[in-house]
Amino acid sequence: MKETLLMEQDYLDAILEHCQDGIYITDNEANTVYLNHSYERISGLLRAEMIGKNMRTLVENGVVSASGTLSVLENGESITIEQSFRTGKRAVIISSPVYENAEDRGHIIMVVTIVREITEIYSIRRELRRVMALNREYANEIRRLEQELGGGVSVVAVDEKSVRMVRLAERVSALNTPVLISGESGVGKETLAHYIHQQSARREYSFLVIDWSVIPEDNLVGYLFGYEDAGTQEYHMGVLESADGGTIYMKDIDQMPVSVQDRMLALLHSGSCVMGEGILRRLDVRFIVSSLEPMIVLREKELVREEILQCFSAFSIELTPLRERRDDIIPLAEHFIRQYNRQTGEKKKFSRQCYQRLLEYDWPGNVQELRVLVQRAAIVSEGNLMDESDLLLADSAGGAGASSVVLSDYLMQKTGHEDGDEGMLSFSVHKQCSDLKYESARLEAYYMNLAFARYHNIRDAADSLGIDSSTFVRKRQRYKAMGLMED
């Protein structure tokens, strides 16, 4: 019988020593009575220095960070905790009581702890975060170079109203408080937001834009807060987490979906939010939002929770339409033509008649309309000196009542093209623009129609416009749906 028990003990020892998980056993007074080889490997601690030691002493001396055994002896219930060792290794431990009588669960005779290593998991996480931080540095460096080549983010302010606005923006940039920028479409809200970021201490980190109109609704939460792929178990970081340390600019705050407003409010209030991997994470992000309407109108619409609007109520900047700050028109036009010349190597400049015509126009599309007009005029003008007709603001058919310029006739006049086999298509540039995005889409669709009519295939048409075939196809489908392109 004794030999049988010895054999069983040998078998038991062999089994325990071959377990991949660490096994750690104490008596009912928390004294260490057994640990296997896997525990030594996982913890980096030696059996000789642990056997006979009490868990209270081990915790006090910093050999282990916490003890599941002590909790079990105090509460009589199994417990799972994370534990780190003096060696720097980490593990998840599951401590469970062993009762003298399993039925009445009255007297604990020992505590058995299963130890599973997570050091490698933490190493992988640290490496992942290092790589993400490195990617952010690369992205920021690319952005810095792009700004240097493109002249950086510049805010042209000559008019007295603009000067006051820029001074306020510069004062706000020194703070971390959320900011609301309101104003008409095309007035320059994103440019001002980028300028505030560039003037702040966050300039070395990301400036990311959230446009609610282009985020897919079926993956809205995942796009913002991250998600875990159910198939691969791979975690995809959300745009908010990738902006850590930088600035988030949200277009049209009144378009924020109701489904994410609770999480956004938590992030605005505490700086913390539950990310897609289920972990509460603190983010260091500065928020700037825009709106077509001032704060008082946003509150009346009640599309956004009052608590969110309250976060942006302290600093609100309203941009004045371009037609109400006419002293900025010529400096802005000069700024845009300098950008064009820097990018193309040309030496375009405005004639005196151009300046006069620019000052007379009402600019319903604001600064964005002026930018597009300057680029278009520079492209269609023949010499370095742009004349009034290059602006495409003058009447083409005579008579002050004309409401548009026919671009095909104008281009044929400037380039010498004849309306022949290639089938020149007509395009009217309206003098009064109520929707600059739509008018820009009309112009792009016109050129795509023209290229396809000329080459009769997508690849050559796309090459002629300087875009790839997939972009041509995607935009063509979009413009077909809008009724701007032919089948």
Side-chain angles (χ1 to χ4, degrees):
M1 182 66 178
K2 185 176 181 180
E3 292 181 0
T4 302
L5 289 174
L6 288 172
M7 289 180 63
E8 289 178 354
Q9 183 66 43
D10 291 340
Y11 278 128
L12 182 60
D13 288 342
I15 292 171
L16 294 178
E17 286 300 318
H18 283 81
C19 284
Q20 292 301 308
D21 290 336
I23 298 176
Y24 192 96
I25 303 175
T26 67
D27 61 20
N28 58 4
E29 294 182 355
N31 297 310
T32 306
V33 297
Y34 176 83
L35 58 92
N36 68 352
H37 175 70
S38 292
Y39 181 88
E40 292 182 296
R41 173 180 55 80
I42 293 171
S43 67
L45 303 172
L46 299 177
R47 189 176 313 196
E49 61 180 323
M50 302 294 287
I51 294 294
K53 298 293 178 62
N54 190 277
M55 288 304 304
R56 294 180 181 83
T57 304
L58 293 173
V59 173
E60 291 172 0
N61 293 338
V63 179
V64 295
S65 61
S67 172
T69 297
L70 297 178
S71 177
V72 169
L73 291 174
E74 180 179 350
N75 302 314
E77 299 291 338
S78 297
I79 187 173
T80 301
I81 63 172
E82 186 177 308
Q83 190 178 65
S84 59
F85 305 100
R86 181 183 59 198
T87 57
K89 295 191 174 185
R90 306 174 73 100
V92 169
I93 66 170
I94 306 170
S95 296
S96 303
V98 177
Y99 292 95
E100 184 175 24
N101 188 330
E103 294 181 358
D104 60 24
R105 297 167 62 90
H107 178 62
I108 298 176
I109 59 173
M110 69 177 68
V111 178
V112 178
T113 298
I114 306 298
V115 183
R116 292 178 178 171
E117 184 175 19
I118 59 172
T119 304
E120 185 176 354
I121 295 175
Y122 272 83
S123 297
I124 293 172
R125 285 185 177 178
R126 284 196 301 269
E127 178 64 15
L128 178 60
R129 297 197 181 282
R130 187 191 69 81
V131 171
M132 290 189 299
L134 192 60
N135 286 341
R136 279 201 298 268
E137 291 180 10
Y138 289 151
N140 291 330
E141 181 65 14
I142 292 171
R143 190 178 298 107
R144 184 187 66 78
L145 292 173
E146 287 176 344
Q147 291 174 1
E148 287 182 0
L149 294 173
V153 179
S154 300
V155 175
V156 176
V158 176
D159 192 278
E160 184 179 349
K161 295 177 181 177
S162 300
V163 172
R164 288 200 301 268
M165 177 268 296
V166 171
R167 286 175 179 170
L168 176 59
E170 289 175 345
R171 290 198 296 272
V172 169
S173 67
L175 307 173
N176 280 323
T177 184
V179 178
L180 169 67
I181 303 175
S182 61
E184 296 179 1
S185 178
V187 80
K189 297 185 287 293
E190 184 173 339
T191 300
L192 183 62
H194 204 165
Y195 181 75
I196 292 173
H197 169 76
Q198 196 177 64
Q199 298 300 310
S200 73
R202 299 175 179 270
R203 67 180 67 91
E204 299 300 326
Y205 293 88
S206 300
F207 176 83
L208 298 183
V209 179
I210 294 178
D211 186 347
W212 302 113
S213 65
V214 300
I215 303 175
E217 293 185 8
D218 59 345
N219 193 31
L220 178 61
V221 174
Y223 175 84
L224 294 174
F225 301 97
Y227 64 95
E228 189 173 272
D229 191 301
T232 63
Q233 304 300 311
E234 181 180 358
Y235 178 67
H236 298 265
M237 181 185 291
V239 65
L240 294 175
E241 196 171 354
S242 66
D244 194 20
T247 302
I248 289 280
Y249 170 65
M250 291 192 296
K251 292 184 176 181
D252 301 323
I253 188 175
D254 57 321
Q255 300 298 317
M256 183 190 299
V258 176
S259 59
V260 300
Q261 289 190 21
D262 285 341
R263 287 200 185 192
M264 292 302 300
L265 179 60
L267 191 55
L268 286 166
H269 273 174
S270 66
S272 301
C273 188
V274 176
M275 294 299 147
E277 57 184 342
I279 296 177
L280 181 67
R281 196 175 303 285
R282 183 169 184 82
L283 298 181
D284 178 22
V285 177
R286 200 255 182 93
F287 284 95
I288 303 177
V289 300
S290 72
S291 170
L292 296 175
E293 309 288 355
M295 179 65 74
I296 186 170
V297 178
L298 288 175
R299 286 196 163 111
E300 290 173 356
K301 286 185 174 182
E302 297 183 347
L303 295 174
V304 182
R305 291 183 55 169
E306 172 62 27
E307 298 95 324
I308 294 178
L309 295 179
Q310 188 65 34
C311 293
F312 294 94
S313 60
F315 287 95
S316 178
I317 302 175
E318 185 171 357
L319 295 189
T320 307
L322 185 57
R323 60 184 173 275
E324 296 179 14
R325 46 186 176 102
R326 292 191 171 273
D327 287 346
D328 285 342
I329 294 175
I330 299 305
L332 279 167
E334 291 286 357
H335 171 67
F336 295 142
I337 199 61
R338 282 196 299 270
Q339 283 186 331
Y340 176 85
N341 288 336
R342 188 161 51 241
Q343 292 170 358
T344 64
E346 298 183 62
K347 298 180 180 179
K348 300 284 185 177
K349 60 182 180 179
F350 296 104
S351 65
R352 187 183 301 273
Q353 292 77 15
C354 279
Y355 288 135
Q356 185 62 37
R357 189 69 184 93
L358 292 173
L359 290 172
E360 292 172 353
Y361 188 59
D362 280 339
W363 302 108
N366 289 295
V367 179
Q368 181 63 18
E369 184 182 8
L370 176 58
R371 183 197 303 271
V372 172
L373 181 142
V374 169
Q375 292 178 344
R376 184 179 63 209
I379 291 171
V380 301
S381 62
E382 292 182 329
N384 286 331
L385 185 65
M386 294 179 287
D387 58 39
E388 184 181 1
S389 61
D390 294 322
L391 300 177
L392 300 183
L393 289 175
D395 301 335
S396 62
S403 61
S404 64
V405 176
V406 180
L407 185 58
S408 60
D409 295 340
Y410 180 82
L411 287 175
M412 284 187 288
Q413 175 189 347
K414 300 294 289 185
T415 63
H417 274 296
E418 296 295 336
D419 187 7
D421 296 336
E422 292 178 345
M424 176 72 75
L425 302 169
S426 176
F427 179 83
S428 297
V429 179
H430 301 293
K431 291 173 65 178
Q432 295 297 325
C433 172
S434 59
D435 188 338
L436 187 60
K437 288 184 178 179
Y438 179 77
E439 293 301 323
S440 299
R442 278 204 322 123
L443 181 61
E444 188 170 37
Y446 163 75
Y447 277 113
M448 291 175 67
N449 267 327
L450 192 63
F452 193 77
R454 179 174 300 164
Y455 295 102
H456 306 293
N457 69 82
I458 289 176
R459 186 183 63 184
D460 292 338
D463 287 343
S464 72
L465 296 174
I467 60 177
D468 56 59
S469 300
S470 61
T471 301
F472 189 97
V473 171
R474 185 172 62 254
K475 290 191 173 188
R476 189 183 188 200
Q477 291 173 342
R478 176 188 170 197
Y479 294 149
K480 275 184 178 181
M482 295 172 64
L484 299 178
M485 286 197 72
E486 303 171 347
D487 291 331

